[in-house]
C-alpha cells in the first residue's frame, strides 16, 4: 500500500455563507503500481479528493498518508491541461524540473527524453495554442512524467478529447504505467472506461461524496454488460434526490428502458416526437439547437420524413460565437452541414446564433418544438437562446440537465411552460455526466407516458 | 484592402480640403490648404524635426519611467491584497485627476526646466499601465497557479513564471495606452512652459497667427502616435505571439 486515505471529509463555504459538504468520510488505500480508478457523478468531490491527496488542499478531518522513500511531489494531470500559454512545449515540460533546481543540461536531456516518449518530436517549439487537445494533453502528461514521481494523479485527463484520441492516449498511458512503474489514481465519470482499465474502482456517491463501493473489476471481466453498468450508475445516483425531478417510478422506467436502448432514437420514436410537436400551434417548424455534428438533429427529424413535409431548422450554434472562440475548436459547421445534408432531414440549416438578442430575432416563425439538450461546452449559447426565445417555442420545449441548472433560464422556461405551453416538458436529470442517451430516452419515454 | 481604404479616404479628405480652400469657399487665412502645409513643412523641416525630437525625448523618457514603475507597482499591488487596499486605492484616487494639473507644482519643485514636462509625461504614462497591470494580475487564471504549485513552484516561482507572464496581455494593452498618454502629457506641458518641442511650436504659432504651423503640429503628433502604435503592435506580435491566441 502506498497511499492511505483515511476518513477524509471536506466542506466549502458557499456564497451565502452556508457550508457545502463535498466529501464525507472517504477512506481507501491504493497499492503500489496499481491503476486505481475513481468514478462518481459530477460535483461529488473527485477533483477535491485528488487535490487533497496532492497536498493542494487540506481536509477538514481525516488524513492522507503517502508511503514513499523520500518526499515527492504528486503531480496531477488536469482535464483542462493547464499548460502555460506563454511557454513553448519544451519549456512547459521542463517547468516542473526547473523548480527542482536541476542543472540546465540535465533538464534538457530529460525534456527531450519525454518529448520522445510522448511522441512530441518536432513540436518542441510550438506554443500550446498551436496544438490540438490531444497534443496538449500529451504535453501535460510529459510535464508530469518528467518529474519522475512514483505517484501520478489524473483528473479526467481525456474528458474533453474526442473518442479516437482518448483511446489512443489511454492505451499509451497504460503502456507507460507498466514501463515506468507508476501508481496511478485515475478519476473519470466513464463507467466502462474505469471497469475496463483498472484493477479496482472506487465508486463515489453524489455530493457529498461517500464511498459507495470499491469494486474488484475481476468480477466484471467476463460478465460485463449494460446491467452491471446500470448497477454502478444506480450506486452513483441513489439518494441524490436533489438533482432528480423524476420520482422513483420514473427512475424505474428509465432503468427498464435503458436496458434495451442502443444508440439514438428510432424513426418511430422520432415520429412520436413529431406528432407531439405537430399538435402545437404555429407553423410546422421544428428546431434543434446546438447539435455538434448534427446526429441528434438527424434522429429528431427522421420521424418527420415519412411522407410528410415540414420545415426543419437545424441550428449550429458553434460558429462565430464567443464560446466557440473561447474553446478554440475548429469550426464544426462544415461537418455538421455535411451530415445534415447527407441525411436529407432539414429544410434549412442555420449556421449562426450569436449571443445578441437581435441575432435570434431572425426567428419570425413560431417554433413548434424546441429541443435543447446538454452539451456542456456550449451551454451559454443555449442558455441565451432559452432566455431570448422561449416565446417562439409555441409547441414545446424540452430542456435538459445543465442547460437548466442556471437559475435564470430555468425560471424563464418554467414560467413560459406554466403560462402557455400545453405539453412542454422540462426534464431535469442528474448532470451532464449521466450518459446522454439515457437522458434523451428517459425524457422521451416520460413524454410518451404522459 | 483595409489599408487601401484608409489611404483612399485620406486622399479624398485632403482633396476636399484643398478644393474647398482653392475655390475660396473657406478663407485661406483661417484654413490654409494642404499644399501650403506641405510647403511650410518642406521649408521648416529642420525646425520641425528638431522640435519633434525634443517632444519625443520628453515623451519617451516619461514613458519609460512611468511604464516601468507602473508594471512593477501594478504587479505588487495586484499580488499582495493588503497593499492593494492601501497603496492601490491611494493610486486609484489620483487616477481621476488630469495629470497636467500638477504642472505648476512640479515647476516649483523642479524649476522651469524640462523636468516638470518629463514628470507630467511620466505620470500620464504611469496610470494606464499601472491600472491594467494591476487588474491583469488580479484576473490571472487561478488554475495555472494551482498547476505550478502542484509541480513544485514556490511563491517566487509563481510570481515570476506565472503571474508576470500571465498578466502580459493586460500589461501590453496598458503600455499601448500609455504611449498616447505620454505624448499628450509632454505636449500639453510644453505648450505652457517650454520654448522647444511640438507643444511649444504650436503654442508660439498661435501668438504669431501661423495657422499652417498650428495645423502641422497636431498632424505630426498624430502621425507619430500612429507609427508608435503600429510599431508596438509589431513588437508584441514578434515577441509575444501567444497573446492574442488565449
Amino acid at each position: 500500500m502506498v497511499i492511505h486515505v483515511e476518513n477524509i471529509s471536506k466542506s466549502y463555504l458557499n456564497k451565502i455563507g452556508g457550508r457545502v459538504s463535498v466529501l464525507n468520510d472517504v477512506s481507501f488505500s491504493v497499492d503500489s503500481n496499481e491503476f486505481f480508478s475513481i468514478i462518481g457523478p459530477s460535483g461529488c468531490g473527485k477533483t477535491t479528493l485528488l487535490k487533497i491527496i496532492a497536498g493542494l488542499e487540506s481536509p477538514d478531518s481525516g488524513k492522507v498518508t503517502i508511503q514513499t522513500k523520500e518526499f515527492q511531489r504528486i503531480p496531477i494531470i488536469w482535464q483542462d491541461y493547464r499548460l502555460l500559454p506563454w511557454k513553448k512545449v519544451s519549456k512547459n515540460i521542463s517547468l516542473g524540473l526547473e523548480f527542482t533546481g536541476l542543472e540546465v543540461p540535465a533538464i534538457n536531456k530529460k525534456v527531450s527524453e519525454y518529448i520522445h516518449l510522448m511522441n512530441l518530436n518536432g513540436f518542441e517549439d510550438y506554443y500550446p495554442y498551436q496544438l490540438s487537445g490531444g497534443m496538449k494533453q500529451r504535453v501535460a502528461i510529459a510535464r508530469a512524467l518528467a518529474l519522475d514521481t512514483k505517484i501520478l494523479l489524473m483528473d479526467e485527463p481525456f474528458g474533453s478529447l474526442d473518442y479516437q484520441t482518448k483511446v489512443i492516449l489511454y492505451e499509451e498511458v497504460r503502456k507507460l504505467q507498466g514501463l515506468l512503474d507508476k501508481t496511478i489514481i485515475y478519476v473519470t465519470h466513464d463507467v466502462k472506461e474505469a471497469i475496463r482499465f483498472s484493477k479496482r474502482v472506487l465508486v463515489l456517491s453524489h455530493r457529498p461524496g461517500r464511498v459507495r463501493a470499491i469494486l474488484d473489476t475481476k468480477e466484471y471481466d467476463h460478465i460485463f454488460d449494460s446491467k452491471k453498468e446500470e448497477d454502478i450508475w444506480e450506486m452513483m445516483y441513489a439518494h441524490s434526490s436533489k438533482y432528480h425531478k423524476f420520482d422513483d417510478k420514473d427512475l424505474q422506467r428509465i432503468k427498464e428502458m435503458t436496458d434495451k436502448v442502443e444508440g439514438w432514437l428510432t424513426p418511430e420514436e422520432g415520429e412520436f416526437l413529431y406528432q407531439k410537436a405537430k399538435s402545437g400551434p404555429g407553423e410546422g417548424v421544428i428546431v434543434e439547437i446546438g447539435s455538434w455534428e448534427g446526429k441528434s438533429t438527424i434522429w429528431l427529424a427522421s420521424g418527420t420524413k415519412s411522407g410528410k413535409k415540414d420545415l426543419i431548422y437545424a441550428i449550429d450554434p458553434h460558429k462565430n460565437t464567443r464560446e466557440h472562440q473561447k474553446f478554440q475548436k475548429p469550426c464544426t459547421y462544415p461537418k455538421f452541414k455535411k451530415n445534415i445534408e447527407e441525411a436529407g432531414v432539414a429544410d434549412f440549416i442555420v449556421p449562426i446564433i450569436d449571443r445578441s438578442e437581435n441575432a435570434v430575432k431572425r426567428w419570425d416563425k413560431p417554433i413548434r418544438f424546441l429541443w435543447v439538450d446538454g452539451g456542456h461546452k456550449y451551454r451559454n449559447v443555449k442558455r441565451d437562446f432559452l432566455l431570448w426565445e422561449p416565446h417562439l417555442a409555441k409547441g414545446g420545449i424540452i430542456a435538459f440537465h445543465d442547460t437548466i441548472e442556471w437559475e435564470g433560464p430555468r425560471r424563464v422556461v418554467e414560467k413560459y411552460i406554466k403560462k402557455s405551453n400545453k405539453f412542454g416538458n422540462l426534464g431535469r436529470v442528474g448532470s451532464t455526466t449521466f450518459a446522454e442517451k439515457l437522458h434523451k430516452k428517459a425524457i422521451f419515454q416520460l413524454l410518451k407516458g404522459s | 484592402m483595409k489599408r487601401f481604404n484608409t489611404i483612399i479616404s485620406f486622399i479624398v479628405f485632403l482633396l476636399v480640403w484643398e478644393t474647398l480652400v482653392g475655390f475660396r469657399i473657406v478663407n485661406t487665412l483661417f484654413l490654409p490648404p494642404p499644399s501650403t502645409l506641405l510647403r511650410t513643412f518642406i521649408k521648416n523641416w529642420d525646425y520641425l524635426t528638431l522640435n519633434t525630437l525634443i517632444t519625443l525625448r520628453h515623451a519617451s523618457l516619461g514613458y519609460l519611467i512611468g511604464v516601468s514603475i507602473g508594471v512593477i507597482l501594478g504587479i505588487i499591488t495586484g499580488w499582495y491584497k493588503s497593499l492593494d487596499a492601501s497603496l492601490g486605492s491611494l493610486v486609484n484616487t489620483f487616477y481621476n485627476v488630469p495629470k497636467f494639473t500638477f504642472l505648476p507644482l512640479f515647476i516649483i519643485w523642479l524649476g522651469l526646466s524640462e523636468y516638470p514636462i518629463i514628470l507630467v509625461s511620466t505620470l500620464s504614462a504611469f496610470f494606464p499601465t499601472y491600472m491594467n497591470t494591476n487588474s491583469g494580475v488580479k484576473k490571472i487564471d487561478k488554475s495555472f497557479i494551482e498547476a505550478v504549485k502542484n509541480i513544485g513552484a514556490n511563491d517566487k516561482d509563481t510570481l515570476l513564471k506565472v503571474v508576470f507572464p500571465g498578466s502580459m496581455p493586460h500589461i501590453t494593452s496598458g503600455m499601448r495606452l500609455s504611449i498616447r498618454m505620454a505624448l499628450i502629457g509632454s505636449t500639453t506641458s510644453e505648450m505652457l512652459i517650454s520654448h522647444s518641442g511640438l507643444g511649444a511650436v504650436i503654442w508660439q504659432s498661435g501668438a504669431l497667427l501661423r495657422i499652417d504651423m498650428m495645423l502641422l503640429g497636431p498632424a505630426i503628433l498624430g502621425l507619430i502616435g500612429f507609427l508608435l502604435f503600429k510599431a508596438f503592435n509589431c513588437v508584441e506580435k514578434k515577441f509575444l505571439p501567444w497573446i492574442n491566441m488565449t
Side-chain angles (χ1 to χ4, degrees):
Chain A
M1 298 281 171
V2 277
I3 305 171
H4 290 286
V5 174
E6 287 165 70
N7 310 97
I8 294 284
S9 294
K10 175 84 184 168
S11 60
Y12 289 112
L13 276 180
N14 67 7
K15 275 180 193 147
I16 49 170
R19 285 207 91 84
V20 183
S21 174
V22 281
L23 286 170
N24 195 337
D25 200 19
V26 175
S27 306
F28 61 92
S29 301
V30 182
D31 285 331
S32 170
N33 296 348
E34 184 179 357
F35 196 106
F36 185 84
S37 290
I38 300 175
I39 53 170
S42 278
C44 76
K46 301 183 297 262
T47 304
T48 311
L49 187 57
L50 283 195
K51 284 185 192 170
I52 289 173
I53 295 172
L56 284 172
E57 284 186 30
S58 48
D60 295 346
S61 63
K63 62 171 183 175
V64 178
T65 329
I66 314 277
Q67 289 170 359
T68 45
K69 281 189 195 114
E70 66 230 65
F71 169 76
Q72 279 189 329
R73 297 267 159 207
I74 305 177
I76 303 181
I77 294 167
W78 310 87
Q79 181 179 8
D80 50 358
Y81 327 121
R82 305 206 181 171
L83 300 177
L84 302 184
W86 48 89
K87 285 191 185 287
K88 292 176 177 172
V89 165
S90 55
K91 286 284 163 197
N92 257 301
I93 295 174
S94 69
L95 197 63
L97 295 169
E98 285 166 26
F99 300 142
T100 60
L102 221 59
E103 304 259 307
V104 176
I107 291 179
N108 288 345
K109 195 168 158 272
K110 269 208 159 161
V111 167
S112 60
E113 201 176 294
Y114 283 99
I115 279 177
H116 185 69
L117 194 70
M118 288 313 293
N119 287 326
L120 286 163
N121 295 322
F123 289 94
E124 292 88 342
D125 287 335
Y126 279 55
Y127 282 100
Y129 73 84
Q130 294 166 313
L131 301 176
S132 66
M135 293 301 277
K136 279 185 201 161
Q137 199 53 285
R138 278 169 190 275
V139 179
I141 293 172
R143 178 174 75 181
L145 287 177
L147 284 173
D148 224 354
T149 54
K150 283 301 281 172
I151 304 165
L152 213 56
L153 308 178
M154 304 181 112
D155 182 17
E156 295 182 35
F158 312 131
S160 43
L161 302 178
D162 61 88
Y163 184 73
Q164 235 95 25
T165 317
K166 201 167 160 170
V167 170
I168 294 169
L169 272 176
Y170 203 93
E171 285 304 327
E172 280 189 29
V173 167
R174 291 282 298 164
K175 241 187 265 165
L176 287 174
Q177 189 219 357
L179 208 69
L180 305 170
D181 275 355
K182 302 270 181 201
T183 306
I184 295 180
I185 298 185
Y186 185 86
V187 160
T188 178
H189 51 234
D190 188 331
V191 177
K192 278 194 178 127
E193 201 177 87
I195 296 276
R196 216 163 269 162
F197 293 107
S198 42
K199 260 193 226 145
R200 292 187 305 147
V201 178
L202 171 75
V203 184
L204 282 177
S205 70
H206 205 281
R207 184 187 296 168
R210 294 165 198 270
V211 178
R212 280 252 171 263
I214 297 178
L215 307 170
D216 196 334
T217 52
K218 265 189 208 140
E219 293 171 27
Y220 287 80
D221 264 2
H222 306 293
I223 46 165
F224 183 75
D225 56 19
S226 61
K227 192 75 195 138
K228 287 282 177 198
E229 203 178 326
E230 247 352 88
D231 286 348
I232 296 166
W233 266 339
E234 182 71 28
M235 265 186 238
M236 296 198 299
Y237 282 92
H239 311 299
S240 56
S241 55
K242 195 180 154 202
Y243 283 86
H244 284 295
K245 275 222 166 163
F246 297 136
D247 57 18
D248 289 348
K249 221 170 77 193
D250 293 329
L251 282 174
Q252 187 58 37
R253 267 153 73 189
I254 293 172
K255 258 192 85 180
E256 282 165 18
M257 182 194 69
T258 40
D259 281 344
K260 28 182 202 213
V261 171
E262 254 330 302
W264 307 102
L265 292 192
T266 60
E268 292 76 45
E269 290 160 343
E271 168 76 23
F272 167 77
L273 276 179
Y274 169 73
Q275 290 299 341
K276 263 298 196 198
K278 233 184 119 190
S279 60
E283 306 267 329
V285 179
I286 296 180
V287 170
E288 194 214 7
I289 169 168
S291 188
W292 179 248
E293 286 172 356
K295 278 182 197 147
S296 44
T297 306
I298 293 168
W299 73 249
L300 180 64
S302 59
T304 72
K305 295 304 280 185
S306 42
K308 300 171 205 75
K309 195 73 187 163
D310 217 324
L311 297 181
I312 296 192
Y313 288 81
I315 310 176
D316 172 52
H318 304 150
K319 202 181 179 191
N320 289 346
T321 61
R322 218 184 284 166
E323 288 299 290
H324 167 233
Q325 288 158 9
K326 197 169 139 200
F327 287 96
Q328 290 178 32
K329 284 272 175 197
C331 181
T332 56
Y333 182 63
K335 198 166 183 187
F336 167 83
K337 194 164 174 243
K338 193 173 146 258
N339 284 348
I340 298 280
E341 272 169 1
E342 268 175 14
V345 291
D347 301 275
F348 291 94
I349 300 171
V350 186
I352 302 163
I353 288 200
D354 68 23
R355 297 163 71 101
S356 70
E357 193 173 3
N358 285 338
V360 283
K361 269 197 178 141
R362 71 173 73 117
W363 290 98
D364 49 351
K365 283 206 177 78
I367 298 165
R368 274 194 177 162
F369 201 84
L370 172 66
W371 174 273
V372 185
D373 66 359
H376 54 292
K377 276 196 176 163
Y378 300 96
R379 53 189 162 193
N380 285 352
V381 179
K382 291 172 187 185
R383 178 193 62 189
D384 287 358
F385 194 86
L386 280 180
L387 273 173
W388 303 124
E389 290 293 284
H391 60 287
L392 289 178
K394 297 266 194 260
I397 297 177
I398 293 189
F400 284 115
H401 41 108
D402 59 354
T403 315
I404 47 174
E405 274 170 24
W406 272 274
E407 204 47 39
R410 205 190 71 221
R411 234 183 282 136
V412 172
V413 175
E414 272 173 355
K415 196 171 133 204
Y416 165 70
I417 284 171
K418 259 187 217 147
K419 221 168 98 187
S420 61
N421 195 359
K422 291 185 185 68
F423 61 92
N425 278 268
L426 193 63
R428 193 164 185 228
V429 213
S431 60
T432 36
T433 57
F434 214 59
E436 206 172 60
K437 89 184 174 193
L438 187 63
H439 287 287
K440 286 179 179 169
K441 290 295 282 192
I443 290 184
F444 163 70
Q445 206 74 10
L446 285 172
L447 202 63
K448 201 170 185 177
S450 61
Chain B
M1 196 59 210
K2 219 168 123 193
R3 190 168 295 169
F4 182 71
N5 280 346
T6 318
I7 293 168
I8 288 289
S9 63
F10 211 72
I11 291 172
V12 168
F13 170 72
L14 289 178
L15 280 178
V16 169
W17 181 358
E18 184 77 42
T19 336
L20 280 179
V21 183
F23 283 99
R24 300 290 163 104
I25 300 169
V26 180
N27 193 339
T28 43
L29 190 65
F30 296 117
L31 186 69
S35 52
T36 313
L37 293 185
L38 189 66
R39 231 171 290 137
T40 314
F41 179 75
I42 292 167
K43 221 163 145 189
N44 298 298
W45 75 271
D46 45 352
Y47 171 67
L48 284 168
T49 315
L50 181 71
N51 283 296
T52 307
L53 286 176
I54 289 168
T55 299
L56 274 179
R57 174 190 152 81
H58 294 155
S60 58
L61 277 174
Y63 181 77
L64 288 179
I65 303 169
V67 159
S68 319
I69 301 174
V71 170
I72 294 167
L73 210 61
I75 288 177
I76 292 172
T77 54
W79 190 236
Y80 298 104
K81 289 208 172 78
S82 53
L83 270 178
D84 193 44
S86 50
L87 189 63
S89 43
L90 194 71
V91 174
N92 283 359
T93 319
F94 283 106
Y95 180 50
N96 303 317
V97 183
K99 283 25 124 200
F100 178 62
T101 51
F102 291 107
L103 188 64
L105 185 70
F106 294 159
I107 294 171
I108 292 172
W109 284 354
L110 301 168
L112 207 58
S113 60
E114 65 173 351
Y115 297 126
I117 301 174
I118 294 172
L119 198 53
V120 167
S121 153
T122 304
L123 262 189
S124 310
F126 165 77
F127 279 97
T129 304
Y130 168 78
M131 297 307 268
N132 274 284
T133 309
N134 180 281
S135 76
V137 171
K138 282 186 200 157
K139 278 184 198 153
I140 195 117
D141 193 342
K142 299 286 179 296
S143 69
F144 288 141
I145 295 176
E146 201 175 50
V148 294
K149 286 231 157 119
N150 176 236
I151 52 175
N154 55 26
D155 280 354
K156 189 183 135 222
D157 294 328
T158 313
L159 195 63
L160 290 180
K161 297 208 163 142
V162 180
V163 175
F164 177 58
S167 41
M168 219 51 209
H170 290 264
I171 295 176
T172 53
S173 67
M175 284 167 71
R176 213 187 331 258
L177 280 174
S178 288
I179 297 178
R180 222 174 257 165
M181 298 316 289
L183 275 177
I184 292 174
S186 52
T187 34
T188 43
S189 313
E190 281 164 7
M191 280 186 162
L192 270 197
I193 61 162
S194 182
H195 292 293
S196 51
L198 276 179
V201 168
I202 296 167
W203 194 251
Q204 287 158 7
S205 317
L208 301 168
L209 211 70
R210 288 288 302 270
I211 306 250
D212 48 355
M213 278 294 202
M214 278 192 269
L215 284 169
L216 268 178
I220 293 171
L221 273 176
L223 189 69
I224 287 172
F226 176 77
L227 290 178
L228 286 175
F229 218 69
K230 284 278 166 201
F232 188 90
N233 285 349
C234 284
V235 172
E236 186 192 66
K237 214 170 176 182
K238 178 88 181 59
F239 291 102
L240 304 163
W242 53 273
I243 269 190
N244 296 317
M245 301 292 173
T246 39

